[in-house]
Amino acid sequence: MLTARRRVVATAAVVAGSLLLVSCGGSDGGSSDGRTLRLWHYEGPDSAMGAAWNEAIKEFEAEHPGVKVKFEEKGFEQIQKTAPMVLNSSDAPDIMEYNKGNATAGLLSRQGLLTDLTAEVTKRGWDKKLSAGVKTTSQYDTGGVMGSGKWYGIPNYAEYTMVFYNKALFKKYGVAEPKTFDDLTAAMDTFVARGVTPLANAGAEYMAQQYLYQLALSKADRSWVDSYELYRGRTDFHDAAWTYGATTFADWVKKGYISKTSSGTKAEDAGVAFIQGKNPILFSGSWWYGRFTAENKFDWGTVLWPGSDLTLGSGGNLWVVPRGARNKELAYDFIDITMSKKIQNLLGNKGGVPVAAAPSAITDPRAKTLIADFNTVSGRDGLAFYPDWPVPGFYDVLVSETQKLITGSATPDACLDALQKAYDKGVPKK
């Protein structure tokens, strides 16, 4: 995610400065002497990806004597909004993490701002390490649509969404741990009756739209997803699935499952609220797993969204090499290191979902559960990508419309009208 995403602890990263300022000056620019690799990513240092990539930087510098990695921490929102301008400047990094999907990596590939990695993928065997579902977001056709064409990015992890819940609060209030959708709603009713808002939410960023999309997915199937994400059919935002998603989301606000004040809340705030035990449930992605492992002071668990074969997820955000990168060979070498068994195994044990780890090397019990649940979703072809992916600018439209559902300033029907209009405007014409 943002996805749609992801993203994320990614969104949670607090950044200094602005990409806009970087693109207009104020940076020493990239080095073309082969001695500096400029790297941008937005994962928090406590996340599984952040920990794994920090180790990858050490490995890279050890394997490349005299070469230094200049890591510049950026924010998901900043890169999301200004990447096209920055990558079209002379100050593009050598390698960067970027959100996957038609509206993001697909758009940049169509604009000619990313390096075609196809030859390197074949040469280094990266394609052999990625499953079919994960590969979908790595390749884009000439129209910027994912699923086929040239390789413009490489994910070294996967991701999916799940229900995180505070076992201590469930026990305190005598609430059964959720195994079915009825269990989940019954739990939320009990918490509301005791004066506790059940769901951590972030209306100002990606989290609210992920609740909306998951509710719709619970009434959808694979052909519905393919129509929406890959344009393999017409998408009707007033169909049964989208209507259920929007009306149920609005109903949950009325019932007190979701706070009306969360319309202005960011993902970081929602994550911190869960960590602090203010909300017993948070629905979001595996990118939070490492941070919750490090910071939660209570017993907690996860379940897949009950009553749905589909959930949000995909290959992770992509390593992309900007067209204007000055040290592309170094960038390819860094990607290769992040795909190595050592880094993959570390990522898995830190709470990430690696794409090429040795199963026997994953020793952490929580990590084993995380990876097993991902395999369950992947095995039933249940990765449904993210709601903001299909068309450029749709992320902001989804944020705006879900905020209206939270505040009650628009009806579900009006919000679905707005989504239909924005979607239809952005879908490539055949």
Side-chain angles (χ1 to χ4, degrees):
M1 307 198 249
L2 15 160
T3 175
R5 134 18 146 253
R6 232 148 61 264
R7 115 180 318 117
V8 252
V9 170
T11 316
V14 179
V15 241
S18 161
L19 285 176
L20 178 60
L21 293 177
V22 169
S23 68
C24 298
S27 170
D28 59 3
S31 169
S32 58
D33 63 0
R35 294 298 179 187
T36 304
L37 176 72
R38 290 184 66 214
L39 166 67
W40 291 3
H41 76 66
Y42 43 70
E43 304 294 347
D46 291 330
S47 70
M49 286 73 74
W53 297 348
N54 283 340
E55 185 62 29
I57 289 173
K58 295 177 184 177
E59 287 283 312
F60 177 88
E61 291 182 340
E63 292 181 14
H64 297 74
V67 179
K68 293 295 181 183
V69 176
K70 183 180 179 183
F71 165 55
E72 300 174 40
E73 185 180 49
K74 303 297 177 183
F76 174 81
E77 294 289 324
Q78 289 181 310
I79 290 181
Q80 176 92 350
K81 294 180 183 302
T82 61
M85 178 181 62
V86 174
L87 298 190
N88 206 25
S89 75
S90 61
D91 203 42
D94 297 309
I95 181 174
M96 64 182 279
E97 178 186 12
Y98 196 61
N99 200 12
K100 64 277 178 200
N102 301 339
T104 46
L107 176 62
L108 294 191
S109 72
R110 193 174 78 214
Q111 293 174 333
L113 296 176
L114 301 180
T115 300
D116 174 7
L117 302 176
T118 306
E120 290 298 320
V121 168
T122 303
K123 173 183 172 183
R124 297 173 185 260
W126 296 332
D127 53 337
K128 303 286 194 302
K129 297 183 177 183
L130 301 177
S131 66
V134 173
K135 287 179 184 178
T136 300
T137 57
S138 299
Q139 296 175 271
Y140 297 86
D141 64 19
T142 54
V145 179
M146 64 185 179
S148 65
K150 297 177 179 178
W151 290 72
Y152 287 100
I154 301 295
N156 73 330
Y157 69 99
E159 61 186 34
Y160 68 105
T161 52
M162 67 202 78
V163 177
F164 295 88
Y165 65 101
N166 183 325
K167 290 186 176 183
L169 285 179
F170 271 66
K171 183 177 181 179
K172 176 181 177 180
Y173 291 101
V175 180
E177 296 179 9
K179 291 183 171 57
T180 66
F181 188 72
D182 287 344
D183 287 344
L184 181 62
T185 54
M188 293 193 291
D189 284 332
T190 300
F191 283 120
V192 169
R194 301 297 293 272
V196 177
T197 301
L199 298 175
N201 181 51
E205 292 181 348
Y206 64 87
M207 204 170 285
Q209 60 187 258
Q210 292 185 351
Y211 280 108
L212 172 67
Y213 190 49
Q214 180 60 68
L215 287 166
L217 288 174
S218 69
K219 302 298 182 181
D221 58 19
R222 173 52 58 185
S223 64
W224 184 94
V225 174
D226 288 346
S227 293
Y228 177 61
E229 298 281 0
L230 304 177
Y231 319 134
R232 294 175 182 168
R234 183 178 181 275
T235 289
D236 177 8
F237 281 86
H238 290 280
D239 67 10
W242 279 113
T243 300
Y244 173 80
T247 55
T248 302
F249 184 90
D251 186 52
W252 282 11
V253 175
K254 292 176 183 176
K255 288 182 174 179
Y257 297 174
I258 294 171
S259 170
K260 290 184 178 180
T261 62
S262 69
S263 62
T265 302
K266 295 193 173 184
E268 171 72 359
D269 303 319
V272 169
F274 182 74
I275 291 168
Q276 293 176 343
K278 294 179 179 178
N279 304 106
I281 303 169
L282 180 145
F283 173 71
S284 195
S286 49
W287 49 85
W288 287 102
Y289 213 93
R291 184 169 178 189
F292 289 165
T293 298
E295 297 185 28
N296 287 354
K297 304 302 183 185
F298 50 83
D299 190 17
W300 57 282
T302 64
V303 293
L304 295 173
W305 186 274
S308 179
D309 287 337
L310 298 168
T311 196
L312 296 78
S314 69
N317 289 325
L318 304 172
W319 287 129
V320 299
V321 179
R323 178 191 62 189
R326 304 185 184 186
N327 292 293
K328 293 184 179 182
E329 285 298 325
L330 293 180
Y332 305 150
D333 287 350
F334 183 81
I335 294 173
D336 208 41
I337 288 172
T338 67
M339 297 289 281
S340 69
K341 277 287 190 285
K342 178 179 179 179
I343 301 303
Q344 287 288 297
N345 293 343
L346 174 63
L347 194 155
N349 279 310
K350 289 290 186 179
V353 184
V355 296
S360 61
I362 307 303
T363 57
D364 180 81
R366 285 189 192 274
K368 284 182 178 292
T369 299
L370 176 73
I371 296 169
D373 281 349
F374 174 78
N375 290 338
T376 296
V377 173
S378 183
R380 67 190 184 203
D381 194 22
L383 296 175
F385 312 123
Y386 294 89
D388 60 301
W389 282 11
V391 297
F394 207 48
Y395 177 89
D396 291 332
V397 177
L398 282 161
V399 167
S400 176
E401 296 308 317
T402 50
Q403 284 179 318
K404 292 174 185 176
L405 290 177
I406 295 169
T407 62
S409 61
T411 65
D413 192 58
C415 290
L416 293 173
D417 282 342
L419 295 179
Q420 187 79 63
K421 180 178 180 181
Y423 180 88
D424 289 345
K425 182 179 179 181
V427 170
K429 301 298 183 288
K430 296 183 179 179

